[in-house]
Amino acid sequence: ADLVDGELPHSSGDLAALTAAQEQELLDYAAKMDSMAEKMIKLEADVEQQRTMLVKADEKNSEMMTQIAQRDQAYVELLDTRNQLDRQLAMTLGERDQYMVTA
């Protein structure tokens, strides 16, 4: 047996204590790994929930953009109608003025 600084080699009791300590370290490590795995599963669920919310928000945004486009189209149609009515009114007033001059 090798002597280190005059120490005696480990007795079987010391080896058993070391093995028990190592076993406890492994159990602690395994418990930490389980805890981390649970946290990862929860994080993945949170990410999936946020992804679902983003998809729904994107769908809602698309619906709103469609509604805005429809309103814009209706506004353009109203402006066209107004311009037509303005032209008709101008022609009618012009005809009236001509009639008033000739009368």
Side-chain angles (χ1 to χ4, degrees):
D2 294 337
L3 294 178
V4 180
D5 295 331
E7 289 182 15
L8 293 173
H10 292 295
S11 69
S12 61
D14 290 339
L15 286 177
L18 259 180
T19 303
Q22 289 173 335
E23 186 177 344
Q24 188 57 51
E25 278 184 38
L26 283 174
L27 289 173
D28 291 348
Y29 181 75
K32 285 181 185 173
M33 291 300 287
D34 286 347
S35 174
M36 286 176 64
E38 288 174 13
K39 288 178 183 173
M40 288 296 291
I41 290 169
K42 185 181 182 319
L43 281 173
E44 287 172 359
D46 289 348
V47 166
E48 190 58 36
Q49 184 180 12
Q50 289 179 353
R51 186 174 290 126
T52 300
M53 289 169 54
L54 280 173
V55 167
K56 286 181 182 176
D58 193 43
E59 290 170 356
K60 185 70 173 170
N61 189 35
S62 293
E63 289 174 20
M64 291 177 73
M65 294 300 281
T66 300
Q67 289 176 358
I68 289 170
Q70 289 170 344
R71 285 187 198 137
D72 287 349
Q73 182 61 36
Y75 181 71
V76 167
E77 290 170 8
L78 282 173
L79 283 179
D80 286 347
T81 302
R82 179 180 170 196
N83 288 337
Q84 288 174 0
L85 290 174
D86 284 348
R87 283 193 296 275
Q88 286 177 355
L89 179 62
M91 290 187 339
T92 301
L93 291 175
E95 289 172 5
R96 187 198 68 184
D97 290 347
Q98 267 188 339
Y99 177 76
M100 297 286 278
V101 169
T102 57

